[in-house]
Structures are given as C-alpha cells and as structure tokens.
Amino acid sequence: MASFSASSVPLMKFSFVICFFLTAYAGNLYQDFDLTWGDGRAKILNNGQLLTLSLDKASGSGFQSKNEYLFGKIDMQLKLVPGNSAGTVTAYYLSSKGATWDEIDFEFLGNLSGDPYILHTNVYSQGKGNREQQFYLWFDPTTDFHTYSILWNPQRIIFSVDGTPIREFKNLESNGVPFPKNQPMRIYSSLWNADDWATRGGLVKTDWSKAPFTASYRNFNAKACVWINGASSCSSSSSSSSSSSKNNAWLSQELDITGQQRLKWVQKNYMIYNYCTDTKRFPQGFPPECKIS
C-alpha cells in the first residue's frame, strides 16, 4: 500500500558494524503501536496482547508503529477476515515518507466465501514500485493466526509465511536497480474497502450485510535498528561477544539450501502472478532485476 504523505525524508548515509539494536518480543502492543484512524474501530485488547482492526460501511481502521526502522527482521501473526471478505484489503507493510518513498508490502485481498485469499507483495524504492508478485496460500488464513515476516537487510528483502520464504528481492544496485537502504520506515497496517479493484478486478463488491469485518494481530516480534532523532540505534562500534553475533545474524542472513528449495516450491505451486513474466505489461523488455538469476 503506497504512502501518500507529502512530507519528505532526506536520503541518509548509513555505515555499520552493528552492535546495538532494538528487540521487541511478543510484548505489550500498546508499547509498539499507535491506533491512527478508524474512530474506535481499531482496538488493543487482552492487556495489550491482541490488536484488532474493523471495517464497516462508514470507515476502515489502521495502526502504525511508534518506531521507525532502518533494517530489521519483523514478524507479526495475523488472522484475516473470515467468510465473505470480497472487496476488503488487509494491508501490512513498511513505508517511509515523501515523494520518493520506500515500501515493502504485504496485502491480503479478500474473496468470496470458499475462494482463496490472494497475498499481494510489492517493493517500492525511491517512489517506484510495479514489482508485484501474488500468491495463494497453502492454508486457510482466516481460521487461525499465521506468522508473516519481512527480513530487510542491506543485501536482500525476504518475505516469509510461517517461516517459509515466498519471495526474495536482492540488492542489485550494481546493476542499476534501486534498493531500499537509506530511508527509515515505519510499520503500518490497515483494513479498508477496495471493492473497485480488490476482488476479480472489482467485479465482486463488498457485501456490507456481513460487516463489520475484522482482522486480528498478535505476537509482534522485531530485531531491528531503530531510527531516533536522525540517527540509527545501531552502533558502529563492534562487539566480539557470541550473543551479539547471534542476535545480529539477521543483518547478513540469506537463504540456505533448504530455504531456496522452499522458495522454489512456493513459487512453482502457489504463485499466481509475477511481474517478471508479464510480457504484455513489459513489451519493451523486463526490468533489469528480472533478467538476473
């Protein structure tokens, strides 16, 4: 989901041998998030252990993280709108601000009862997206909570579902492909009506007799560098301790052989759209990252 803020964030240089970072472990959601819109339709419940967003005909709702991050490994468990969710979109994403924003997207496109959700992913860098990949899931995401993860480090972005990688976007700046690495991003999520496009290209409209629609969130976990007052919480000082090295492993994490095999399995069996194979959309040739294995 694109950020529409008109404010700008200057690009910032970032050098690192990371030592200090924020870790949030399934703690109190009051501490990590602000409910930003929806006139009471967004709620934090169960002493901060559960967050819900609701949508009715009058309004959707949303929240955002209190912190901005410049690189991180971020997990959240979601349970999506059950039943007839056609026309609804649950968006969960990282985004910076300004006209040349960066963004890393999960969007869950609702559907008629019995039809599968579509998981829509995208990566924006310097205000340019158009890197959509879409997937079906191998389970019903409405009956229980599942973990949706973004690993964002200087080398790559990996989208994962319940620990299974579904997409990797590598840093290919050396090939002229912009990569999000200079702008801190905040976590955002919203539940909103998009029946002009979300389900079968807008052919299926939201059934408001089923409202309110509700999505649920819990168990937020983050290992990340927090951006505070124009500086990263990560330090250029080094640490030789084994615990620090272990905690910092996400900064250089990549897919091992098993991860690569799982990624191929998902993309072979559950990917339903890939911009890198859309010849009608790119008649003059695919974007450069599509040509690099």
Side-chain angles (χ1 to χ4, degrees):
M1 180 177 178
S3 170
F4 298 105
S5 171
S7 62
S8 62
V9 176
L11 296 182
M12 292 153 289
K13 295 186 180 297
F14 182 68
S15 62
F16 55 90
V17 179
I18 301 293
C19 172
F20 302 110
F21 55 91
L22 170 129
T23 304
Y25 284 116
N28 191 317
L29 294 170
Y30 283 113
Q31 298 174 358
D32 297 309
F33 297 101
D34 290 320
L35 307 180
T36 49
W37 63 283
D39 294 326
R41 293 173 180 83
K43 299 177 181 179
I44 297 178
L45 307 168
N46 298 354
N47 296 316
Q49 300 304 302
L50 178 70
L51 191 156
T52 61
L53 296 182
S54 291
L55 163 69
D56 57 35
K57 198 167 186 178
S59 179
S61 53
F63 66 87
Q64 69 182 43
S65 62
K66 294 180 183 293
N67 290 319
E68 291 181 295
Y69 306 97
L70 188 62
F71 304 124
K73 186 177 186 300
I74 295 167
D75 306 324
M76 179 75 90
Q77 290 193 331
L78 280 73
K79 183 165 66 173
L80 301 178
V81 174
N84 182 1
S85 59
T88 70
V89 172
T90 305
Y92 178 70
Y93 60 105
L94 287 162
S95 182
S96 64
K97 299 177 180 179
T100 56
W101 77 96
D102 294 339
E103 186 170 322
I104 304 169
D105 282 350
F106 276 120
E107 289 187 297
F108 303 90
L109 312 185
N111 217 328
L112 295 168
S113 298
D115 291 341
Y117 262 82
I118 293 174
L119 173 51
H120 175 101
T121 67
N122 204 351
V123 176
Y124 286 75
S125 185
Q126 300 176 21
K128 182 181 181 299
N130 301 322
R131 300 185 178 101
E132 299 90 348
Q133 291 184 354
Q134 294 183 337
F135 305 84
Y136 288 142
L137 295 166
W138 48 96
F139 53 83
D140 183 346
T142 71
T143 58
D144 203 354
F145 285 90
H146 293 269
T147 303
Y148 301 90
S149 305
I150 294 171
L151 170 67
W152 171 36
N153 66 30
Q155 297 83 37
R156 58 187 44 82
I157 296 165
I158 299 174
F159 298 77
S160 299
V161 178
D162 288 338
T164 295
I166 65 169
R167 177 177 185 176
E168 180 179 29
F169 185 82
K170 295 180 179 179
N171 185 339
L172 298 173
E173 287 183 307
S174 60
N175 299 95
V177 181
F179 184 84
K181 69 171 189 178
N182 294 312
Q183 301 186 63
M185 295 197 268
R186 205 177 293 273
I187 300 168
Y188 297 88
S189 190
S190 58
L191 174 57
W192 52 294
N193 177 43
D195 66 4
D196 57 334
W197 65 270
T199 305
R200 300 183 187 176
L203 294 176
V204 182
K205 302 299 183 182
T206 303
D207 182 356
W208 294 112
S209 71
K210 306 297 184 184
F213 305 97
T214 301
S216 302
Y217 303 74
R218 71 180 188 189
N219 288 349
F220 170 68
N221 291 320
K223 294 181 179 180
C225 303
V226 180
W227 195 261
I228 304 173
N229 298 324
S232 173
S233 65
C234 296
S235 170
S236 60
S237 61
S238 61
S239 170
S240 60
S241 71
S242 60
S243 61
S244 176
S245 298
K246 182 178 180 180
N247 287 333
N248 294 338
W250 61 269
L251 259 173
S252 58
Q253 185 175 336
E254 59 186 358
L255 293 176
D256 58 15
I257 293 177
T258 300
Q260 293 173 20
Q261 292 172 339
R262 289 177 175 176
L263 177 66
K264 290 179 181 178
W265 173 78
V266 171
Q267 295 193 341
K268 177 182 178 181
N269 294 287
Y270 294 98
M271 180 184 282
I272 59 172
Y273 177 79
N274 182 3
Y275 75 108
C276 280
T277 60
D278 191 339
T279 55
K280 292 182 179 179
R281 186 176 176 187
F282 299 104
Q284 304 303 317
F286 293 117
E289 66 268 21
C290 299
K291 305 171 186 177
I292 303 170
S293 59

